[in-house]
Amino acid sequence: MIMMVVAFLLSMILCLLFGVPYIDFLKKKTIGQYVKDCAPEAHAKKEGTPTTGGVFIVVAIIVASIIALFLAERFDNPALIVLITLLFYTFAGFQDDYLKIKGHANDGLSARGKLLRQIAIALLPTIYVMLSNPYGSTFSVGHWTIDLKWLYPFLSVFIITGASNAYNLTDGLDGLAASTGVFAFLGAAIISSYSGYPEIGIIAATVAGALFGFLYFNKPKAQVFMGDTGSLAIGGLLGTIAVMGKFEFLLIFLGGVFVCETLSVIIQVTSFKTTGKRVFKMSPIHHHFELLGWSEKKVVWVFALCSAIFSTIALVLYYLTIRGII
């Protein structure tokens, strides 16, 4: 637990240190965000805000993780797989951001191209878990465990890819993805550590620390956005940690806000295509509350509080499981 605190603080400090020169670099190169025409009118002022801030978030995570893991003498294969997966997702997200910047629009990789990259990357931790863990193909809900055998890779890839996309959808307001992510990764760090995966817990703690530090630059009015470089990578990392730590079911609660964001999009699209009517004023659901008149700060605070509640529920469920109550 002490090393997780060290990892959190180290990553937070590194993110703050790396952020200043990187944002200055982005401003000098005029590398800014392009806002979609369909976004709420209030988002027009975000046009030109520096993006790809995920670069210094990921650098802080990797550097802090390596230092903390070596100090804890926990730099082993699972940790390496998690960090390599993070890097691959970062490259995929950066490619998407680069195409948007190059094309002077908010259209990067095609949906199919992005999904294929996410699936290919998700196979790395999936295959590792299947080959290295005797319980790699099992899925547990409380004390009920089922061995999915050859079906498990499909579930694992779905979880990791889904988490990547869900977190990406959440990154739509200043400070929203970062603040909700802090609580999700803190919960993941605690569960991983007490489940016998301290190295994964340390990495999760560094993510929480880096996101907390990033909030200094990303809180309203944001100085920088994490872009797909950050959101695709961090979301994919959350799913990877859940798979590697074997707490896939609890991810539903740890990422409760991200699940709700994704469901709002699915419900909106399904309703419009089948009935021609919209359930929400706009999806993902954070835009719905914006259009109801909530300020951006209020939406972020409420969603962050919901994330804290969801993560607490996940921890309670985990405690009840290890105590044999459920």
Side-chain angles (χ1 to χ4, degrees):
M1 185 63 72
I2 294 177
M3 284 310 304
M4 287 200 301
V5 174
V6 171
F8 178 94
L9 293 175
L10 179 59
S11 185
M12 178 187 70
I13 293 170
L14 289 175
C15 190
L16 290 169
L17 291 175
F18 295 155
V20 175
Y22 189 76
I23 293 173
D24 287 342
F25 166 77
L26 293 176
K27 288 179 178 178
K28 289 178 182 178
K29 297 295 183 179
T30 62
I31 300 175
Q33 177 72 32
Y34 295 93
V35 178
K36 288 184 177 181
D37 295 334
C38 60
E41 292 182 10
H43 286 228
K45 61 185 179 183
K46 300 179 187 291
E47 185 89 25
T49 301
T51 188
T52 72
V55 169
F56 68 85
I57 298 176
V58 172
V59 171
I61 291 170
I62 292 175
V63 173
S65 293
I66 291 173
I67 294 173
L69 288 167
F70 270 115
L71 289 174
E73 299 181 345
R74 291 287 185 179
F75 200 102
D76 51 16
N77 288 334
L80 187 60
I81 292 295
V82 171
L83 292 178
I84 290 175
T85 303
L86 171 62
L87 271 177
F88 283 156
Y89 269 115
T90 303
F91 293 146
F94 185 81
Q95 184 182 12
D96 192 42
D97 283 333
Y98 174 76
L99 291 175
K100 292 176 183 177
I101 295 166
K102 183 180 179 181
H104 300 285
N106 201 41
D107 298 315
L109 292 169
S110 66
R112 181 181 180 183
K114 186 185 296 186
L115 181 60
L116 288 176
R117 285 167 174 78
Q118 290 172 303
I119 291 173
I121 297 168
L123 287 172
L124 174 61
T126 297
I127 293 172
Y128 178 82
V129 167
M130 292 286 291
L131 295 178
S132 65
N133 192 327
Y135 303 103
S137 61
T138 61
F139 179 76
S140 300
V141 179
H143 279 305
W144 287 272
T145 300
I146 181 173
D147 189 347
L148 296 176
K149 300 185 184 302
W150 60 270
L151 288 175
Y152 182 80
F154 294 95
L155 175 65
S156 176
V157 169
F158 173 78
I159 289 171
I160 297 172
T161 302
S164 178
N165 285 312
Y167 195 80
N168 182 241
L169 285 173
T170 306
D171 186 28
L173 300 178
D174 295 354
L176 181 58
S179 60
T180 51
V182 168
F183 294 107
F185 279 97
L186 282 176
I190 295 172
I191 293 172
S192 297
S193 180
Y194 284 98
S195 296
Y197 301 94
E199 68 280 8
I200 297 177
I202 288 172
I203 295 174
T206 66
V207 183
L211 290 175
F212 191 71
F214 182 69
L215 277 171
Y216 175 78
F217 306 108
N218 188 236
K219 65 182 184 294
K221 177 178 182 286
Q223 301 176 51
V224 65
F225 300 140
M226 67 172 64
D228 284 4
T229 305
S231 59
L232 285 182
I234 293 170
L237 181 60
L238 182 60
T240 299
I241 287 173
V243 168
M244 296 286 286
K246 299 307 298 175
F247 55 90
E248 299 94 340
F249 174 71
L250 292 177
L251 182 61
I252 297 173
F253 300 95
L254 288 173
V257 168
F258 318 135
V259 172
C260 291
E261 293 272 25
T262 304
L263 287 176
S264 71
V265 174
I266 294 172
I267 292 170
Q268 185 86 323
V269 172
T270 302
S271 176
F272 187 74
K273 286 188 174 182
T274 56
T275 67
K277 297 181 180 179
R278 292 180 172 86
V279 176
F280 307 105
K281 290 182 177 294
M282 185 178 288
S283 65
I285 199 169
H286 56 259
H287 291 317
H288 171 78
F289 289 105
E290 270 194 293
L291 295 177
L292 283 178
W294 288 25
S295 69
E296 190 168 8
K297 287 184 178 179
K298 181 178 180 180
V299 176
V300 172
W301 276 103
V302 171
F303 276 50
L305 176 60
C306 289
S307 182
I309 294 171
F310 277 126
S311 293
T312 301
I313 292 173
L315 291 173
V316 170
L317 289 174
Y318 176 72
Y319 175 78
L320 294 176
T321 299
I322 61 177
R323 296 291 294 180
I325 297 175
I326 60 173

